[in-house]
Amino acid sequence: MTEQDKIKYETAFTMATSSIKYGPGVTREVGYDMKKLGSSRVMVVTDPNLSDSEPVTVSLQALREVNIETVLFDRARVEPTDTSFKEVIKFASSGNFDGFIGIGGGSSMDTAKIANLFSTYPAELLTYVNAPIGKGQPVPGPLKPMIAIPTTAGTGSETTGVAIFDLEAMHAKTGIAHRTLRPIMGIIDPNNTRTVPKIISASCGFDVLCHALESVTALPYHKRPAPESLDMRPAYQGANPISHLWASKAIEMTSENIVKVVQDPSDEKARAEMILAATFAGIGFGNAGVHLVHGMSYPVSGMVREYMPEGVKSEHPIIPHGMCVVLVSPAVFRFTAQTNPELHLYAAKLMGVDVSSADKKDAGEILATEIIKLMRATGMPNGISAVGYGSNDIEELVQGTLPQHRVTKLSPRPANAEDLRKLFAESMTLW
Ligand SMILES: [Zn+2]
């Protein structure tokens, strides 16, 4: 018997998601929904750019109309850090809240999840953080009701049990992933994405695309080692037939609409499709997981020096998450294609490429080329060199990727340090 034969593989997968309410103007129903969940004192989490925005104003009014006591916390940091999480935990822990609402991009929704988790089960921040960076302990039990209201068509955080942050000491993103963190409901209102700057709208769209492409191409769940106990079965389980459906549809919808929403933000139909695609992709990757693209994106984001995208208000340099992700994606899909060329061609086909006469050995290149085509049409930077990185940074980028086990373990093709060096080098300039 070889070592390989002794591994026990996973034999099951689960499908979990938040309940979803979709429709233009549906934000005003949040009071009704929160009341039904039994909450009477609610903490509303958003970021400083959104504190006076329509989605926040409408939500606060809706909550007050049904006599829910409401406290606004508008200091969620865009791209949260351990420091910003500690601040919200302190606020939430002294507030005696029995319900939480996150309004904004992934950052605000993730911050609300953290407020809920640590005010319900107080612990050191690293207790529930993914191993090996944190202790990876499972959340002890159910949390208080939470509703998420996305204002960008991107993260899909309204459907997932994941909260991501920068661990400042390591200059890398990590996170907490557990089913109980998942909001009970996501309120998807296309009216809420009207005022997003173009570059953010494009970045968010590429985040959606990569969530979907990664869940389709991730290591299949039955090729993952079985969990030590049922408690330890990860939220990110690997590719599975149900995630595949949601992610496939999201690839189609995003590829069809990403250029439209960036070129014409008043295109209501395209915006509605994009926010729905973000949710579809969230349902896919919330169960299947993402892999190398996201794993490599975390140090790209965490090590930012001076980059600031055009039209974005931020007190600190920032490379938007979706931008970090898409910048490394062409190299990754060229690398993973050999594990399952048909699947990579299938993904390219969903993006609109005619693959009828394509050669299997070109699968990675075909998919990468199509992604780059959309990047160029939406004004994305030309590779990680355009956001401030050079060949001297490659080693640190590699070292920042290696501990991202939660996601890199799901790569269909394992990547060692040498592979990662090549992938980052290839991502410096894309065209
Ligand atoms: Zn993402």
Side-chain angles (χ1 to χ4, degrees), residues 182-401:
R182 193 188 314 274
I184 288 189
M185 179 182 258
I187 293 186
I188 318 295
D189 182 343
N191 290 355
N192 291 342
T193 61
R194 275 186 192 141
T195 54
V196 177
K198 282 190 176 190
I199 192 84
I200 296 299
S201 158
S203 298
C204 291
F206 283 119
D207 191 26
V208 176
L209 181 66
C210 289
H211 288 156
L213 288 171
E214 287 173 83
S215 13
V216 164
T217 55
L219 187 77
Y221 74 96
H222 50 80
K223 291 193 174 167
R224 208 188 73 235
E228 285 162 31
S229 72
L230 295 185
D231 252 358
M232 299 301 280
R233 179 172 287 145
Y236 283 4
Q237 305 159 82
N240 64 72
I242 302 182
S243 288
H244 182 85
L245 281 181
W246 291 92
S248 296
K249 188 67 191 165
I251 296 172
E252 266 178 10
M253 292 162 84
T254 312
S255 308
E256 247 178 70
N257 293 289
I258 187 165
V259 179
K260 291 184 194 164
V261 286
V262 173
Q263 289 179 349
D264 178 12
S266 69
D267 187 335
E268 303 270 332
K269 196 165 156 263
R271 268 196 304 104
E273 284 283 295
M274 280 303 289
I275 197 168
L276 206 51
T279 302
F280 278 36
I283 297 171
F285 93 86
N287 293 283
V290 284
H291 58 83
L292 263 192
V293 173
H294 269 69
M296 288 173 61
S297 82
Y298 294 141
V300 174
S301 154
M303 284 162 55
V304 60
R305 294 191 194 104
E306 288 171 356
Y307 186 77
M308 187 81 89
E310 215 183 299
V312 173
K313 279 185 279 169
S314 168
E315 287 166 359
H316 51 90
I318 189 170
I319 313 173
H321 167 66
M323 187 184 282
C324 296
V325 163
V326 77
L327 289 174
V328 298
S329 67
V332 169
F333 293 119
R334 284 189 196 109
F335 174 78
T336 56
Q338 60 169 241
T339 60
N340 192 337
E342 291 86 354
L343 197 58
H344 287 69
L345 284 176
Y346 163 79
K349 186 176 166 208
L350 294 172
M351 290 181 74
V353 183
D354 176 7
V355 298
S356 52
S357 56
D359 198 319
K360 276 197 228 166
K361 71 173 181 359
D362 300 328
E365 192 52 47
I366 290 171
L367 185 54
T369 304
E370 192 58 20
I371 297 170
I372 291 172
K373 195 174 106 191
L374 293 180
M375 292 175 75
R376 298 186 76 164
T378 50
M380 278 290 116
N382 183 5
I384 58 174
S385 64
V387 296
Y389 294 103
S391 46
N392 289 341
D393 299 310
I394 288 182
E395 202 47 46
E396 202 182 334
L397 290 166
V398 170
Q399 295 310 321
T401 306

